[in-house]
Amino acid sequence: MTDNAIPSSEILELIRGQARVEAKIDTFLGAQSAMKTEIDGLKADIGAVKSDVAVIKSQRSVFIAYGSALVTAGSIAWMLFGEKIKKIFGI
């Protein structure tokens, strides 16, 4: 063996170290892929929630419009027939 040759035990340790680093990188990349999948799923869930909120808001607007129309119709009916109703019920 020459003076500047690396002993085989050190070469073997370098190879083992490289294998450990490669395993850690593979684990990291696998975890990153799993996180990306989970984030994509959360984005889809958020989109569905936004859609549901939009539907609820539009339904609320329709309900308010119907309520306003009923109150208006009731007020007009009371103005037109209020005195007759009072006489009927003796108020």
Side-chain angles (χ1 to χ4, degrees):
M1 219 157 68
T2 62
D3 289 336
N4 49 350
I6 300 174
S8 61
S9 62
E10 288 182 20
I11 292 175
L12 190 58
E13 188 59 37
L14 286 173
I15 292 171
R16 286 183 187 141
Q18 182 181 359
R20 285 192 298 269
V21 169
E22 288 175 359
K24 288 181 180 181
I25 290 173
D26 288 343
T27 302
F28 173 77
L29 292 176
Q32 187 178 22
S33 176
M35 285 188 278
K36 182 183 181 322
T37 302
E38 188 173 343
I39 288 171
D40 290 343
L42 290 173
K43 285 180 181 178
D45 291 346
I46 289 171
V49 168
K50 284 182 179 181
S51 174
D52 291 345
V53 168
V55 168
I56 290 169
K57 284 183 177 180
S58 68
Q59 289 174 346
R60 183 183 63 187
S61 298
V62 169
F63 176 74
I64 290 171
Y66 281 129
S68 296
L70 287 174
V71 168
T72 303
S75 298
I76 292 171
W78 183 256
M79 288 188 315
L80 293 175
F81 305 110
E83 292 302 319
K84 293 180 183 177
I85 294 172
K86 286 181 184 178
K87 288 179 185 178
I88 291 172
F89 289 106
I91 300 176

